[in-house]
C-alpha cells in the first residue's frame, strides 16, 4: 500500500519561501512522477508541478518562475519550494502520485491520474 | 490550455436519488485522460474514475463515468449518505498543467 506523508512550515510572512517535503512509503518510487497540488480555502485545485526519480520536472507556467521541486531518491522523498510568497499563496498544499508512470513494456512514460495523496498541509501567509 | 467546465455548480438531491455531473472540456481530451475525484471537508481528494470510465480500486459500482472528446459525465446511481461531497474532474493528457474543473457540490436536499 502506497502512503504519502508530508510536512513543512505552516505559517509564513510575505516574501518568505515556502518549503514542504513529502515522503513516499510502499510501491515504486522510481516508476512514477510525483506532484504538488494546492487548494486555496474554499476554492478548487491547482496543479503546481511534478518530478520523477531522475529529477526531471514540469511546472505550471503560472508559477514556474517561483517554484522549485527536488527529489531525494535515497529517502524516497520529494520537496517543494515556492519563493516570494504572498497572501494569494495561502492554501492547503498536497503531494500526490501522478501524472505519469513508467511503462516497462514500452520504455515510455504514460499518463496517470493522481491516485495517492498526502494528508495536506495548510500554509498561511500573513504579516 | 484545456479549460474544464463542470455543471451544475451545486446539485441538491436526496439519498437514493441519481446524480449526474457534467464536465465539458474546451478542447478534446486526448485518449480519454479524464479523471473524477471526490473530496470531503478536511480531506484530500480521492480518485474515483480514470480513463473516463474505469473505476479506481475500491470504488463502489454505483459510481460510473462516461464520455469522450470534450463531454464527460460522472453518474452516481443511488446516492448514499457518504456520497455528499464535492466532485472534481481533471484532465491529465496533453496539456502540461493537468487542469481541474471548478467542482460540483452534491448536497443533501
Amino acid at each position: 500500500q502506497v502512503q504519502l506523508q508530508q510536512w513543512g512550515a505552516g505559517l509564513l510572512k510575505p516574501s518568505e519561501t515556502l518549503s514542504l517535503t513529502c515522503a513516499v512509503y510502499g510501491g515504486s518510487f522510481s516508476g512514477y512522477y510525483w506532484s504538488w497540488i494546492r487548494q486555496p480555502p474554499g476554492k478548487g485545485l491547482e496543479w503546481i508541478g511534478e518530478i520523477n526519480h531522475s529529477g526531471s520536472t514540469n511546472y505550471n507556467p503560472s508559477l514556474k518562475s517561483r517554484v522549485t521541486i527536488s527529489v531525494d531518491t535515497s529517502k524516497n522523498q520529494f520537496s517543494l519550494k515556492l519563493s516570494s510568497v504572498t497572501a494569494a499563496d495561502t492554501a492547503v498544499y498536497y503531494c500526490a502520485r501522478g501524472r505519469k508512470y513508467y511503462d516497462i513494456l514500452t520504455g515510455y512514460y504514460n499518463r496517470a491520474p493522481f491516485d495517492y495523496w498526502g494528508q495536506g498541509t495548510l500554509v498561511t501567509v500573513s504579516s | 490550455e484545456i479549460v474544464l467546465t463542470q455543471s451544475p455548480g451545486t446539485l441538491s438531491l436526496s439519498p437514493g436519488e441519481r446524480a449526474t455531473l457534467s464536465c465539458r472540456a474546451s478542447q478534446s481530451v486526448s485518449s480519454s485522460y479524464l479523471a473524477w475525484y471526490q473530496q470531503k471537508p478536511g480531506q484530500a481528494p480521492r480518485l474515483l474514475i480514470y480513463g473516463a470510465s474505469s473505476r479506481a480500486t475500491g470504488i463502489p459500482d454505483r459510481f460510473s463515468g462516461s464520455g469522450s472528446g470534450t463531454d464527460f459525465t460522472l453518474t452516481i446511481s443511488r446516492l448514499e449518505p457518504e456520497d455528499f461531497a464535492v466532485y472534481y474532474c481533471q484532465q491529465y493528457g496533453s496539456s502540461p498543467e493537468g487542469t481541474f474543473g471548478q467542482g460540483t457540490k452534491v448536497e443533501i436536499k
Side-chain angles (χ1 to χ4, degrees):
Chain A
Q1 179 71 344
V2 178
Q3 291 185 333
L4 281 69
Q5 186 172 353
Q6 58 182 101
W7 64 91
L11 181 60
L12 296 173
K13 291 181 168 52
S15 80
E16 292 185 333
T17 297
L18 179 156
S19 182
L20 298 173
T21 298
C22 182
V24 179
Y25 302 98
S28 167
F29 185 78
S30 61
Y32 290 85
Y33 272 71
W34 302 89
S35 287
W36 289 98
I37 297 155
R38 70 179 183 178
Q39 184 173 37
K43 295 188 178 180
L45 298 157
E46 179 182 33
W47 177 75
I48 300 170
E50 64 185 0
I51 193 166
N52 70 0
H53 70 287
S54 62
S56 179
T57 55
N58 295 293
Y59 298 130
N60 187 325
S62 68
L63 297 168
K64 187 174 183 177
S65 63
R66 298 194 291 130
V67 173
T68 302
I69 298 177
S70 58
V71 66
D72 183 343
T73 55
S74 69
K75 297 180 180 178
N76 283 4
Q77 294 177 1
F78 61 107
S79 298
L80 168 69
K81 290 190 185 300
L82 180 66
S83 64
S84 304
V85 297
T86 69
D89 296 310
T90 294
V92 176
Y93 287 75
Y94 295 101
C95 58
R97 190 173 80 170
R99 302 172 297 141
K100 300 175 190 173
Y101 71 95
Y102 182 74
D103 188 332
I104 295 176
L105 296 178
T106 64
Y108 292 101
Y109 278 95
N110 288 330
R111 298 286 175 166
F114 300 118
D115 55 355
Y116 292 97
W117 295 65
Q119 77 277 18
T121 301
L122 175 60
V123 177
T124 302
V125 180
S126 175
S127 56
Chain B
E1 175 186 352
I2 296 178
V3 177
L4 299 179
T5 302
Q6 293 186 239
S7 62
T10 302
L11 200 51
S12 298
L13 295 168
S14 300
E17 290 193 295
R18 181 185 187 91
T20 302
L21 288 66
S22 174
C23 177
R24 178 161 292 179
S26 60
Q27 305 169 39
S28 183
V29 176
S30 59
S31 302
S32 294
Y33 288 136
L34 193 286
W36 290 92
Y37 300 84
Q38 177 193 67
Q39 187 178 33
K40 297 178 181 179
Q43 297 184 16
R46 177 174 71 144
L47 176 66
L48 299 176
I49 301 288
Y50 64 95
S53 60
S54 297
R55 271 188 300 276
T57 303
I59 302 304
D61 60 8
R62 64 180 181 273
F63 291 93
S64 63
S66 63
S68 64
T70 60
D71 289 297
F72 299 88
T73 300
L74 173 69
T75 302
I76 310 171
S77 59
R78 286 177 56 85
L79 283 165
E80 297 287 341
E82 62 267 28
D83 298 337
F84 292 92
V86 179
Y87 293 83
Y88 294 96
C89 61
Q90 180 233 350
Q91 66 83 17
Y92 51 99
S94 58
S95 173
E97 294 85 6
T99 48
F100 292 88
Q102 82 278 18
T104 290
K105 181 179 182 180
V106 178
E107 65 176 21
I108 300 176
K109 187 174 182 180

